[in-house]
């Protein structure tokens, strides 16, 4: 355990005690530096020659002229901000329209829009659990789901990744307790898909609700991008709730919860991150609504994103890299270790390619990776260029497969 300096109760050596109030952060900074875990903000310019495969703009909509114009038009009409919480002044007719069309597109009864996907997940887990209840959470779930479990009043049991049998065993050990099973639909590190059909069967056998974060599936999986739950035949089921973000496939900002109308009504009345948070800005709502309508009109976008992911995977593995087979639009390439992963990502950036870098402790399995986004708007030439840069900068031990843990 780190040792932090005691908070001074009186001046020592003439030093103002106010100056020592946050001395403990210096200790924490030194520990991060020793562990190689210092994070740094890197502001980007509005225009860049960097080929971006690090963000989550899966369908390439963030800069589509019709999307940016819709966002600008919403700001001009409704104002720069929502002006208050959704229950006071923060709900506009634009919010209502987006919620109605999100629900219809995804195949659910109703939807509720939040200021972010993070707050949507916190809302779902804290408002849909009870004090004597149980939440069963996949070990690889996103941090927002983990934090939702921590804030919920229910007991949380973490089970091995993508293991319906472990979920069944856990639920069976707690008979009669109100229970939720929570999982990502597509996991953000390796891009693998959760066994949603099997999880639903387990939930129904034990009377549990299923909450699925479809952040990385919505817009990419299912018919025309309607999401992983739609693809699994679970959309609109009375015991299933979906959360998602508007900042990935929809290229905007914000989050949403989709589910039965009575569940959405409950969130309006009980979810603290809805009740006490300022509503999503109209520009983000307008951009997301325009993107949703564009996806509905161009269903080939979802198929193209999956096609690009499969192409990247084939080229990487064909060249001897170890890459997880993508189930959606996330392509993960393993690195020999955390420092090599950092250097690899930095070298790619120097060559004009932006990629993500995942390493411990952010990855629970201890394996460092490069993470690339397969965008629907990537050309074949850009795909070839990206693969070429990754291979040219690959550290020793990366080619021919690295399967050992860091």
């Amino acid at each position: 355990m780190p040792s932090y300096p005691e908070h001074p109760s009186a001046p020592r050596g003439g030093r103002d005690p106010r100056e020592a109030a946050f001395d403990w952060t210096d200790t924490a900074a030194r520990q991060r530096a020793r562990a190689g875990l210092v994070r740094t903000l890197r502001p980007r310019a509005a225009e860049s020659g960097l080929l971006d495969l690090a963000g989550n703009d899966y369908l390439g909509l963030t800069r589509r002229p019709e999307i940016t114009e819709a966002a600008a038009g919403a700001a001009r009409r409704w104002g720069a901000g929502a002006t208050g919480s959704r229950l006071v002044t923060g709900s506009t007719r634009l919010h209502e329209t987006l919620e109605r069309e999100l629900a219809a597109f995804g195949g659910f009864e109703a939807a509720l829009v939040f200021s972010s996907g993070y707050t949507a997940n916190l809302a779902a887990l804290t408002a849909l659990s009870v004090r004597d209840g149980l939440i069963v959470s996949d070990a690889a779930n996103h941090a927002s789901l983990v934090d939702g479990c921590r804030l919920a009043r229910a007991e949380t049991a973490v089970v091995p990744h993508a293991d319906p049998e472990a979920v069944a065993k856990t639920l069976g050990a707690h008979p009669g307790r109100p229970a939720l099973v929570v999982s990502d639909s597509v996991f953000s590190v390796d891009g693998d898909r959760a066994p949603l059909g099997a999880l639903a069967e387990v939930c129904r056998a034990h009377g549990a609700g299923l909450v699925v974060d479809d952040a990385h599936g919505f817009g990419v999986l299912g018919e025309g991008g309607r999401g992983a739950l739609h693809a699994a035949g679970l959309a609109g089921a009375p015991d299933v709730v979906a959360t998602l973000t508007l900042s990935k496939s929809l290229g905007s900002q914000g989050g949403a919860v989709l589910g039965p109308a009575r569940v959405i009504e409950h969130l309006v009345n009980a979810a603290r991150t809805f009740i006490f948070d300022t509503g999503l800005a109209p520009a983000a709502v307008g951009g997301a609504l325009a993107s949703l309508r564009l996806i509905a009109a161009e269903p080939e976008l979802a198929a193209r994103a999956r096609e690009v992911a499969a192409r990247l995977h084939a080229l990487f593995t064909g060249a001897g890299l170890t890459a997880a087979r993508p189930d959606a639009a996330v392509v993960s390439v393993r690195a020999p270790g955390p420092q090599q992963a950092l250097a690899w990502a930095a070298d790619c950036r120097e060559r004009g390619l932006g990629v993500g870098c995942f390493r411990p402790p952010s990855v629970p399995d201890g394996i460092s990776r490069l993470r690339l986004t397969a965008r629907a708007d990537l050309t074949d030439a850009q795909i070839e260029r990206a693969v070429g840069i990754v291979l040219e900068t690959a550290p020793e031990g990366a080619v021919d497969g690295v399967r050992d843990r860091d």
Side-chain angles (χ1 to χ4, degrees), residues 228-248:
L229 287 161
H230 192 279
L234 297 172
D239 56 349
V240 174
V241 170
T243 66
L244 53 89
T245 174
L246 312 180
S247 63
K248 294 180 171 59

Side-chain angles (χ1 to χ4, degrees), residues 124-125 128 145 180-184 209-213 239 241-243:
L125 292 177
L128 298 179
L145 294 177
L180 290 177
V181 173
V182 58
S183 176
D184 283 316
L210 179 61
V211 177
V212 178
D213 180 354
D239 56 349
V241 170
T243 66

Side-chain angles (χ1 to χ4, degrees), residues 62-216:
T62 298
R63 288 180 175 271
R64 284 272 295 248
E66 53 265 64
I67 307 306
T68 56
E69 193 53 43
R76 285 191 293 267
R77 181 176 183 187
W78 298 99
T83 77
S85 71
R86 292 287 309 277
L87 290 169
V88 183
T89 58
S91 285
T92 69
R93 291 178 181 174
L94 198 61
H95 289 78
E96 182 183 41
T97 300
L98 176 59
E99 288 166 343
R100 184 175 63 252
E101 294 192 20
L102 271 174
F105 183 78
F108 288 84
E109 275 189 345
L112 191 64
V113 165
F114 289 76
S115 62
S116 71
Y118 212 108
T119 56
N121 276 341
L122 296 186
L125 292 177
T126 57
L128 298 179
S129 59
V130 295
R131 192 174 300 279
D132 61 342
L134 177 70
I135 300 175
V136 183
S137 177
D138 190 290
N141 277 343
H142 186 263
S144 57
L145 294 177
V146 173
D147 288 351
C149 290
R150 290 171 176 170
L151 290 171
R153 294 169 292 176
E155 176 188 352
T156 297
V158 179
V159 294
H161 176 50
D163 190 342
E165 290 186 10
V167 174
K169 179 183 281 189
T170 303
L171 290 173
H174 299 84
R177 294 176 68 177
L180 290 177
V181 173
V182 58
S183 176
D184 283 316
S185 65
V186 176
F187 294 89
S188 62
V189 175
D190 270 339
D192 56 316
R193 196 189 312 196
L196 295 181
L199 289 176
E201 288 182 13
V202 168
C203 286
R204 287 161 183 173
H206 294 272
L210 179 61
V211 177
V212 178
D213 180 354
D214 203 20
H216 299 279

